[in-house]
Amino acid sequence: MGGPGDPPAGTPEGAAGGGEDEYRSVVFDESFVRAARLQEFSAQERMGDHTRAVRRRPGLHRTLSRQLLILVVLIAVAFGTAIYMGLRSPYQSPAAKRPEPLRMTVTPLAPTGRVPGSKSVSDLYAHSPAAEFRVGAGGINLPPVRRTSHFSDSQVMGALVTAKDYLVESALDPDVLAGGSPRDVRLLIDPQQYAQFDRSFNRPAADGRHAATGWLVRFDPARAALADHRVRTEGTLRIVETDKNTLEVTSDHTFVYALRGVDREGTRRAEGADDERARASLFTVRRELHFRFDRDDLRMHRAEVLTSATQAGPLACAAGSADHLRPLLAGERAKTGGPAGTDPYATGGATPLCGSLAASAQPSLSASG
């Protein structure tokens, strides 16, 4: 390293020693001159009035500090602009729609005569309109999957699969049909519908909003039980894109159940028993459900259930069906007339609906078959 008098770039190449050492303090090479903080003006520059003989050159560290400051400011401006444009972007997805309460109807279908029954479940199905129906979930077929303007094939498939899962859990699961826990059905709905769902099971009412049988199919375990777990099913699923953030699925399915009466202890009557209630009979449920899916629903495998329309029979018109379905079984008949004592001026509940179950919807055999 050079001494105090050395130029900043060291001793010039080829410099000799000896007698020239005494002039080292006054010999300036080009690197020394460039590193000087003070620079002398030229003769022409000094001819101007009130001009100093020298000018101060900016230091390197000051130049770097200024450049660094400018860079930081530019980064801050770019970051702020990105945030602003993100907040103001016209393509940002709007806030998800708040799920609406499920609107439901449950319509009993009363038979015009005695309910046909048989000791053989297979005979009942073979002589009924459900003879060609598929068994269980095999009757819930998905339509061809095609992407929409704003949803991919996988998203369309996800909506259809969720709707099918809801139908399976709410109309085919043996535990649910027997009046068991509806937990698996609850997990498939939008969480903002939980309060309505829970009230429908804790305090069921035929008010078009809080019937347990509007959410699922279940039979009064003190009256009837499945004679065959192989429920016959047929129907369709349709899907449409209603806007760039919403898919809607409509299901229309018929479920046919083979039932037997239960004794006082709540056990199913034996198939070979002589009691007429031990004979099996068919019970038909037609369900039309309307589901809505936003992008969160698709990601979480859940649905908003908008409407539910259920027609079920054979049922007595006067029998309450908000909490459980109470089927008329083999050999039984409905009382004549519609619901007794309906007061159209009364408030606090919807007027119950009732229809007639066509004879063609029943097995074509006698009650003694």
Side-chain angles (χ1 to χ4, degrees):
M1 180 179 291
D6 291 338
T11 303
E13 189 173 335
E20 294 185 2
D21 290 345
E22 58 181 315
Y23 297 105
R24 293 178 61 187
S25 60
V26 294
V27 174
F28 309 117
D29 66 354
E30 186 178 352
S31 64
F32 191 98
V33 173
R34 285 199 305 266
R37 296 293 306 276
L38 297 177
Q39 184 180 36
E40 184 179 6
F41 287 100
S42 66
Q44 186 171 356
E45 289 174 327
R46 290 199 301 271
M47 290 175 64
D49 293 337
H50 310 293
T51 302
R52 296 189 301 271
V54 296
R55 59 169 171 256
R56 180 177 295 275
R57 299 180 65 186
L60 180 60
H61 70 281
R62 293 180 59 188
T63 302
L64 292 176
S65 298
R66 186 177 297 110
Q67 293 175 346
L68 182 60
L69 178 61
I70 293 173
L71 180 60
V72 170
V73 172
L74 289 176
I75 292 175
V77 171
F79 186 69
T81 302
I83 294 177
Y84 176 79
M85 292 302 293
L87 294 175
R88 301 286 296 178
S89 173
Y91 303 104
Q92 186 178 8
S93 298
K97 297 178 182 178
R98 181 178 179 84
E100 303 172 8
L102 169 62
R103 303 185 305 277
M104 60 183 72
T105 58
V106 181
T107 305
L109 300 178
T112 55
R114 293 171 67 89
V115 177
S118 174
K119 295 180 180 179
S120 171
V121 171
S122 59
D123 283 346
L124 283 173
Y125 280 123
H127 292 86
S128 77
E132 302 300 324
F133 284 14
R134 295 186 177 184
V135 175
I140 306 176
N141 298 314
L142 302 183
V145 176
R146 298 184 181 90
R147 63 175 302 142
T148 65
S149 298
H150 300 93
F151 291 89
S152 66
D153 294 347
S154 61
Q155 289 173 316
V156 172
M157 175 63 79
L160 291 169
V161 169
T162 301
K164 178 175 181 176
D165 288 347
Y166 185 94
L167 294 174
V168 170
E169 295 295 340
S170 65
L172 296 176
D173 183 89
D175 291 334
V176 171
L177 295 174
S181 171
R183 178 180 179 275
D184 290 341
V185 180
R186 187 178 187 268
L187 292 175
L188 291 169
I189 67 173
D190 191 292
Q192 295 191 56
Q193 291 187 308
Y194 283 172
Q196 182 188 9
F197 185 93
D198 294 341
R199 181 180 168 186
S200 299
F201 289 87
N202 296 331
R203 289 179 293 163
D207 59 1
R209 288 289 189 273
H210 302 100
T213 47
W215 296 96
L216 49 78
V217 177
R218 67 175 184 174
F219 302 108
D220 184 351
R223 178 166 181 80
L226 289 176
D228 186 355
H229 287 183
R230 296 171 297 175
V231 179
R232 301 318 196 258
T233 311
E234 185 174 83
T236 60
L237 286 169
R238 299 186 304 277
I239 186 166
V240 296
E241 177 188 307
T242 54
D243 59 51
K244 66 179 182 180
N245 294 299
T246 309
L247 289 172
E248 293 189 1
V249 174
T250 302
S251 69
D252 184 356
H253 289 81
T254 300
F255 303 89
V256 184
Y257 307 88
L259 303 177
R260 279 195 175 89
V262 296
D263 58 23
R264 293 182 180 180
E265 287 73 28
T267 57
R268 191 181 70 185
R269 297 293 179 92
E271 186 172 350
D274 293 333
D275 190 342
E276 189 173 32
R277 285 174 58 86
R279 297 176 181 271
S281 60
L282 297 186
F283 188 86
T284 305
V285 176
R286 169 84 174 272
R287 299 180 80 200
E288 296 182 55
L289 298 172
H290 188 187
F291 304 93
R292 183 164 67 192
F293 300 84
D294 59 27
R295 296 184 185 277
D296 287 339
D297 293 330
L298 293 174
R299 188 177 66 255
M300 300 301 294
H301 188 62
R302 67 193 187 198
E304 177 187 349
V305 190
L306 293 178
T307 60
S308 168
T310 301
Q311 297 175 329
L315 282 173
C317 290
S321 56
D323 54 347
H324 294 86
L325 299 175
R326 297 175 175 82
L328 293 172
L329 302 169
E332 296 181 333
R333 67 171 67 241
K335 295 180 180 180
T336 59
T342 299
D343 182 1
Y345 295 94
T347 59
T351 301
L353 302 175
C354 191
S356 295
L357 182 64
S360 59
Q362 297 275 49
S364 56
L365 46 80
S366 66
S368 60

